[in-house]
Amino acid sequence: MNKKFALSLGLFLTAITTCFGIEIPRPEYPRPQFERVDWMNLNGTWSYEFDFSKSGIERSLFTNEGFGKTILVPFCPESPLSGVNHKDFIDAMWYQRKLSIPEAWAGKRILLNFGGVDYKSTIYINGQQAFVHYGGSSSFSVDITSYVTPGSTDNLVVYVEDDLRSGLQTSGKQSHRLHSYSCLYTRVTGIWQTVWLEAVSKGGLKSCSITPDLDNKQFVFEPVFYDLDQESSLKIRILDNGKEVFSQTTPAGNSSFIIGKLKNIKTWSPESPFLYDIEFSVLNSKGQTIDKVNSYAGMRKAELRGKTFYLNNKPYYQRLVLDQGYYPDGQWTAPDDTQLRRDIELGKEAGFNGARLHQKVFEPRYFYWADKLGYLTWGESASWGVNWTDPVAARNMISEWEECIHRDYNAPSLIAWSPLNETWMEDMDGQRARLTNDLYFMTKRIDRTRPVITVSGGYHAGFTDIYAEHTYVQDPVLLYKQLAPNKEGYPYVFRPDQSAPYKGEAYMVDEFGGIQWIKEMKLPEVNDQKEFWGYGEPPKTLEEFYKRLEEQVNVILSLDHITGFCYTQIVDVELEKNGIYTYDRNKKFDRSRIYKIFTKSREQAKKEVKKMLSERDIPKEKSK
């Protein structure tokens, strides 16, 4: 794309948004569980320059006050919505825009927040380096108070490095080849989530963990402050549909634990996703509010008892769908907030009670809608791309994953953590087991309230709370033979020679199905239809698709040792045409029929499997 056209396209996009009364893309507050009034969205038209030779530092591009091309933030340059649509590798690039800090923010701490920048980002204010961050999935905040002057205009430059093929960084499903192939898709470079400014009192609230304690009918709050004033205090209010049900004011302190006791509790679940509103107010010695944060919380309990998953002290069967969070026009970035909500609604309409968020750390707005609508989620890192034997790669992944856990800890919909997906490397020197165990124990230290699926599928190593396997066997009888416990009572393990032994953990099949079905071609992802794929031979008719799907789901529901499933997948993604919906979120199947399959009772599934096995002369002693 030439310079003149890129500039024109960027100006055109800005003009269009202004014309329709939308000044910037993704204008909503990006962090719904920690929301302030004094903030400024920085999405919109920025200038940029690619730096393929990585010579920009030597050329002092960090002092540049306007590059020759424009990009629409927060969309990555690989996406059509960015106005750039560059599909080749981008090892480095520069962003620039002006900052106009309101004069009213004088005397406050001024924070520059980034929802997500892939991968290494260096922040410059007026030519001075202010911050360096590693991690393409984790959010970060830069205190720029000492670099800017309220009431004046300052220059922001962001330098991004994204060496996808280095093996030192997480990349998720981004393709390591020029083009997309198999289950690896279009790359994501640079800024891909909202950038915003906010003004905070010097003694304001930095964060607050909220832990629901269902059995004791209380929330446990753990606040962290910026600069503590000996005479400041924190007031916490809990509201039920606007009615105050708890209020307490306590001296501000980073060692405080505030117990929000409730008389009559309302629980959160997919069937009844009730949320309490939370208000945090930091007060000075005169009782005046110097910082206010709005939040919310759900009273729910997610745990394992033996081999069974419990939600709110009742056995709960997880019927999940794989969601990779890709969009044809935005790649990792949803074009607007309504699309995030719609993705969850599509999952619920298909009969799923949640999603395994796959090889991508989803943005906080997605969790907000999952919380509001009632939709279970598994949080997973973008772990693919990491070279296990390299200590720098391990360090990068551990620190990034830690930031992700802290950021999303408060989401009631998030009921499990899964740091790794399908690890395949043979453990020749113990590094795979070491990193796996480091991730497991770190996750448990930060969050003891949720189960951890250390490795989903592939080669298992070390400790895990749920033993999760993948299978794409298409024939239901063969699938039954594979998944039914063996003579010793042990479940299927893909590679026992490369995996830690099964020790009686809860067991899930968290990838199966993946049945290809192409309804129609609307999106020009590739020119050759033969490149599209799904698992197994595609069904010849729509009726054959329904039959295969139902029989596979029946098999998994019928086996008592399986505590939940995850079907692949919610929408088609680029070459992969095995979604319940098309890539552009349109209908592929009879929704009521799909819904009945995925919501079928386990008792009914057992009857149908028993009948199937008898008709095909399969021994029935394994059938539960």
Side-chain angles (χ1 to χ4, degrees), residues 541-558:
T541 66
L542 189 55
E543 228 15 77
E544 183 184 335
F545 172 89
Y546 288 126
K547 185 174 187 294
R548 186 191 300 184
L549 174 65
E550 185 164 17
E551 289 182 336
Q552 287 186 19
V553 173
N554 283 345
V555 166
I556 291 175
L557 288 173
S558 72

Side-chain angles (χ1 to χ4, degrees), residues 74 106 118 128 143 168 193 196 202 209 233 246 278 375 389 400 518 540 573 612:
D118 195 6
Q128 298 183 66
D143 187 337
L168 300 179
Q193 288 185 47
W196 79 101
K202 295 292 180 68
S209 298
S233 58
F246 172 83
I278 311 291
Y375 199 60
T389 61
E400 180 179 5
I518 301 176
K540 294 180 176 59
V573 181
M612 178 189 73

Side-chain angles (χ1 to χ4, degrees), residues 87-103:
K87 300 299 186 184
D88 208 337
F89 285 87
I90 307 170
D91 286 344
M93 68 179 293
W94 296 80
Y95 292 84
Q96 180 277 337
R97 69 155 289 158
K98 295 291 185 178
L99 300 178
S100 296
I101 309 298
E103 194 170 352

Side-chain angles (χ1 to χ4, degrees), residues 29-39 111 113 141 196-200 203-210 221-226 234 278-282 291-297 364-365 368 371 406-407 410-411:
Y29 192 84
R31 193 179 55 198
Q33 278 195 294
F34 207 78
E35 185 171 355
R36 286 190 172 94
V37 174
D38 286 340
W39 75 289
L111 302 178
N113 301 294
S141 181
W196 79 101
L197 287 168
E198 63 183 341
V200 184
L205 187 65
K206 187 174 184 179
S207 66
C208 187
S209 298
I210 306 174
F221 300 95
E222 300 176 59
V224 177
F225 300 85
Y226 285 104
L234 175 67
I278 311 291
E279 290 182 2
F280 299 109
S281 300
V282 181
D291 188 26
K292 186 174 181 179
V293 174
N294 291 316
S295 185
Y296 65 84
R365 294 291 307 187
Y368 167 75
D371 297 339
H406 282 296
R407 190 197 74 179
N410 289 348

